[in-house]
Amino acid sequence: MATDFKSIPLIDISPLLAKWDDPNMAQDQGITGVVKQLDQACREAGFFYVKGHGIPNSIIKEVRNVAHKFFSLPYEEKLKIKISPTTGYRGYQQIGENITKGIPDMHEAIDCYREVKPGMYDTLSKPLEGPNQWPINPPNLKQLMEEYISLCTDLSRKIMRGIALALGASADEFEGERAGDPFWVFRIIGYPVLSHANGKDMAENDIGCGAHTDYGLLTLVNQDADITALEVRNQSGEWISAPPVPGTFVCNIGDMLKILTNGLYESTFHRVINKSPTYRVCVAYFYETNFDAAIEPLDICIKRTGGTKKFERAVYGEHLVSKVTTNFVKEDELDS
Ligand SMILES: N=C(N)NCCCC[C@H](N)C(=O)O
Ligand SMILES: O=C(O)CCC(=O)C(=O)O
Ligand SMILES: [Fe+2]
């Protein structure tokens, strides 16, 4: 968010995907072109669209269709997989249950996380322990989403190799202890049509999702076609729309990549307002570091940002757990 960008750039990443594993990839002209665009987009906006990503459009659309089907079920049905602290914060949350900056968000969602086995990361991961809660209806939802998550994980790993090169690091900077065993978060989100009863103006809680940053490395957003609702904040505080572009994902940078890059790439604030007359679905995949990774600015990024370390070391799992466990707590309950 280092600039007053007015729109979000679109990058064709097919040259990167063609040679993501090539030992000489850093010298490849096609890849160099992609890497330059990634660097510019990450510095200027922290948001970019990708095309040429290789995930079939039929799957991308089916994922949203199945999400629509789930949200159109009666509440009793959806509540069979209700989220709670005892389900590892996995499952369905009703409209208004998720809280951002003290205000209930006008969205419903199924929250999923990579499975955490008991004791896996000692007490650190305890709040998130457990398997995901998948609904029985629609019957193909679980299988489709699991396949989609695996495609998103592969794609994100490849984009992160391009981002590593963009930083002037080696392509595998985000593998090994840092993100070689990446955690992931997955949210199937539904935004109802706003009711403007009593002629009231857009109220605070007409916001589908309040301004926030994402927590990890890289987010892949699969949003409904034909509805513009996602907005990204630029340096002056203007909200710039990220309208759906067919066949693309919206990508954005999370808090861990901001720390790693010493702020060279920022985790940009964004929010969602569905002003359209139609129910909107978004399926968001979040590619993260290893759960127990201790994240601090890379030397190469400290150099590129004037030589001073701007962020202290953070453990990703701690950051995630502190967010997740407060996302469902109302302001007046926080201290009690
Ligand atoms: N895993 C991610 N990024 N989820 C995004 C949710 C943002 C809203 C949440 N209440 C918050 O305040 O963070
Ligand atoms: O609905 C969207 O377009 C984005 C959702 C989002 O920002 C999030 O879940 O973190
Ligand atoms: Fe987000």
Side-chain angles (χ1 to χ4, degrees):
M1 201 263 298
T3 67
D4 273 334
F5 62 90
K6 300 289 179 196
S7 64
I8 292 163
L10 191 155
I11 306 174
D12 180 356
I13 59 169
S14 49
L16 172 62
L17 295 205
K19 296 196 176 171
W20 68 274
D21 205 14
D22 186 320
N24 299 317
M25 64 187 287
Q27 281 78 50
D28 180 87
Q29 280 211 353
I31 291 195
T32 315
V34 173
V35 162
K36 276 199 184 124
Q37 293 173 71
L38 285 171
D39 185 52
Q40 186 174 1
C42 292
R43 276 186 291 107
E44 295 185 353
F47 266 77
F48 53 91
Y49 293 89
V50 293
K51 67 171 188 179
H53 48 66
I55 300 187
N57 210 29
S58 52
I59 295 184
I60 294 178
K61 271 170 96 170
E62 182 63 7
V63 159
R64 296 198 311 263
N65 278 341
V66 169
H68 272 284
K69 280 191 192 145
F70 173 78
F71 289 123
S72 67
L73 296 171
Y75 262 132
E76 310 87 79
E77 186 68 23
K78 294 188 275 192
L79 286 170
K80 287 181 181 164
I81 56 159
K82 188 175 168 47
I83 195 169
S84 84
T86 61
T87 65
Y89 292 92
R90 296 153 192 266
Y92 172 74
Q93 61 211 253
Q94 285 175 264
I95 293 166
E97 229 177 309
N98 204 307
I99 313 257
T100 302
K101 300 231 176 82
I103 297 165
D105 289 321
M106 291 300 106
H107 72 252
E108 53 186 331
I110 304 177
D111 282 359
C112 310
Y113 299 90
R114 201 183 139 176
E115 187 167 346
V116 174
K117 297 239 158 58
M120 207 165 164
Y121 301 101
D122 205 9
T123 52
L124 179 60
S125 56
K126 190 126 196 77
L128 288 169
E129 277 176 7
N132 285 314
Q133 294 205 80
W134 297 106
I136 293 164
N137 279 310
N140 65 334
L141 185 144
K142 175 178 192 264
Q143 199 200 333
L144 177 68
M145 296 302 173
E146 286 183 337
E147 182 187 343
Y148 180 71
I149 288 167
S150 140
L151 292 171
C152 288
T153 304
D154 285 348
L155 172 59
S156 303
R157 175 175 277 125
K158 293 170 189 171
I159 298 174
M160 286 310 298
R161 289 175 71 85
I163 291 181
L165 294 178
L167 291 169
S170 79
D172 46 20
E173 193 68 36
F174 301 116
E175 281 158 34
E177 301 223 315
R178 228 169 248 136
D181 184 23
F183 197 69
W184 53 258
V185 178
F186 185 65
R187 305 193 72 215
I188 305 168
I189 315 166
Y191 300 89
V193 175
L194 299 179
S195 61
H196 286 280
N198 314 321
K200 76 177 156 76
D201 289 331
M202 184 81 73
E204 276 172 324
N205 56 351
D206 283 342
I207 308 272
C209 186
H212 67 278
T213 60
D214 293 344
Y215 317 147
L217 290 174
L218 183 75
T219 306
L220 303 182
V221 170
N222 171 6
Q223 57 174 333
D224 259 347
D226 304 321
I227 302 174
T228 298
L230 174 60
E231 300 178 345
V232 183
R233 205 174 76 183
N234 74 12
Q235 194 178 31
S236 300
E238 294 167 291
W239 290 101
I240 306 301
S241 287
V245 177
T248 70
F249 290 100
V250 177
C251 297
N252 64 281
I253 284 166
D255 299 334
M256 292 304 115
L257 192 52
K258 175 187 72 178
I259 296 175
L260 284 161
T261 63
N262 206 33
L264 181 64
Y265 300 167
E266 214 169 319
S267 48
T268 313
F269 275 92
H270 52 286
R271 68 179 185 186
V272 180
I273 308 175
N274 180 20
K275 295 174 204 141
S276 83
T278 319
Y279 190 96
R280 173 179 184 268
V281 151
C282 165
V283 180
Y285 169 88
F286 304 90
Y287 184 81
E288 318 283 88
T289 63
N290 291 8
F291 193 84
D292 56 358
I295 296 302
E296 58 187 334
L298 302 172
D299 286 334
I300 197 166
C301 296
I302 297 176
K303 288 204 187 86
R304 243 180 108 176
T305 50
T308 314
K309 191 172 147 186
K310 293 183 189 146
F311 301 100
E312 288 312 313
R313 161 192 286 245
V315 175
Y316 166 70
E318 285 175 13
H319 182 59
L320 177 67
V321 165
S322 77
K323 291 282 189 177
V324 171
T325 54
T326 52
N327 272 342
F328 301 98
V329 181
K330 296 200 187 78
E331 197 108 287
D332 56 1
E333 293 169 355
L334 263 181
D335 297 317
S336 56

